[in-house]
Amino acid sequence: MITRRRVSVRVRVVLAAVAILGGCWLWLRDSPLVAVRQVRVTGVAGPDARQIRAALTLAARNMTTLDVRVGQLRTAVAPYPVVKDLRVSTQFPHGLRIRVIEGLPVGALVAGGHAIAVSGDGTVLHDIPTGSLPSVPVALLPGGSQITDRNALDALALLADAPPRLTGRIEQVTTVAPHGLVVQLRSGPALYFGDDTDLDAKWSAATEVLADSSSAGATYIDVTDPSRPAAGASPAAVVAAGLATGSTSGAAQTGTVTSAATPGASTPQSSPPTTSPGG
């Protein structure tokens, strides 16, 4: 009987201690002793940068470093589609760091003489300058914050995967039968991608062919099959150059030959080709 009473007393003592510690924790978690006072926001740029910083700072100052509510921070910047995500860390006792992950524009949807910036995942980014962005022609501009046009989404995914060295050279992305996705480079050839699969491999193949001097003058580079890219001149370009004749073969009419830089690739020559480079 005495042993049971001692066990019961100990249990009560432990429970009381837990309750006291829990109460102290709840008090400390939301107390001024750990209130957020210094907020550092990084990773944000563009025309809405000031408003985004202000919204995050205001929301953060209603928190403590022991009770950071990331959901409330995301709600504070919900009106700004450019904000894709947030990374939050604390600096005890009063500091909070917020790194903004922006959905940067990769292209501009164009319709009826108007353009609007869009990120790689199809999020519409209002108030972002579009002058330097590759254009993606569409029938109608989206009315909401997310585009649903399948061809436009494929074009944006293609642009999002483009290597940095080429992004500044891309003028336009369209979907044209029978070549599928077509990238037009500024003062350069068109790149035929076919569908939206194996984009990394196709961009790599296109970059290799562009770097090969023997592809100079090509009006197109076909990377539909990235293992066998082909570069050449379109029939219209061949006719304009006075190279087409009634007796030439189909290969001569399109001005394509095998590239030495990329196995299986084809590149144009200034006269109707009959042999591969070095052959």
Side-chain angles (χ1 to χ4, degrees):
M1 182 66 68
I2 296 177
T3 301
R4 290 181 179 178
R5 289 178 180 177
R6 288 178 179 175
V7 171
S8 178
V9 170
R10 289 176 181 175
V11 170
R12 291 177 183 176
V13 170
V14 170
L15 292 176
V18 169
I20 293 172
L21 290 174
C24 291
W25 165 254
L26 292 175
W27 174 83
L28 178 62
R29 186 187 66 176
D30 297 319
S31 78
L33 295 176
V34 290
V36 172
R37 296 176 184 172
Q38 296 92 35
V39 182
R40 183 182 180 187
V41 180
T42 61
V44 61
D48 293 328
R50 181 177 298 180
Q51 294 92 319
I52 292 171
R53 288 193 186 95
L56 289 172
T57 299
L58 181 62
R61 289 187 183 278
N62 291 320
M63 304 177 189
T64 70
T65 53
L66 295 179
D67 187 20
V68 177
R69 297 180 291 279
V70 178
Q72 290 187 15
L73 295 174
R74 290 196 174 104
T75 299
V77 293
Y80 307 99
V82 71
V83 179
K84 187 175 183 179
D85 201 0
L86 301 173
R87 298 289 185 269
V88 182
S89 61
T90 58
Q91 290 181 303
F92 191 83
H94 299 297
L96 191 68
R97 287 184 176 181
I98 305 173
R99 182 165 67 92
V100 177
I101 310 298
E102 290 189 319
L104 298 177
V106 298
L109 299 186
V110 179
H114 299 282
I116 189 169
V118 191
S119 68
D121 64 357
T123 301
V124 175
L125 305 174
H126 296 282
D127 302 322
I128 300 293
T130 61
S132 62
L133 296 174
S135 63
V136 179
V138 292
L140 293 172
L141 293 180
S145 60
Q146 189 75 26
I147 68 172
T148 57
D149 183 279
R150 186 69 258 169
N151 287 339
L153 287 171
D154 289 346
L156 293 169
L158 175 68
L159 288 169
D161 277 351
R165 72 181 72 176
L166 290 181
T167 52
R169 297 180 57 186
I170 300 173
E171 181 177 5
Q172 187 181 71
V173 180
T174 55
T175 301
V176 181
H179 306 301
L181 289 166
V182 177
V183 174
Q184 180 59 56
L185 299 181
R186 292 185 175 92
S187 302
L191 309 180
Y192 300 160
F193 276 77
D195 58 27
D196 62 342
T197 60
D198 298 325
L199 292 180
D200 288 340
K202 292 176 181 179
W203 274 119
S204 179
T207 301
E208 290 181 8
V209 175
L210 286 168
D212 181 5
S213 60
S214 64
S215 69
T219 61
Y220 74 85
I221 297 175
D222 190 335
V223 293
T224 303
D225 180 356
S227 66
R228 295 183 59 83
S234 66
V238 173
V239 170
L243 300 179
T245 66
S247 60
T248 55
S249 66
Q253 290 174 353
T254 57
T256 60
V257 293
T258 301
S259 167
T262 306
S266 300
T267 54
Q269 292 186 344
S270 56
S271 60
T274 57
T275 60
S276 62

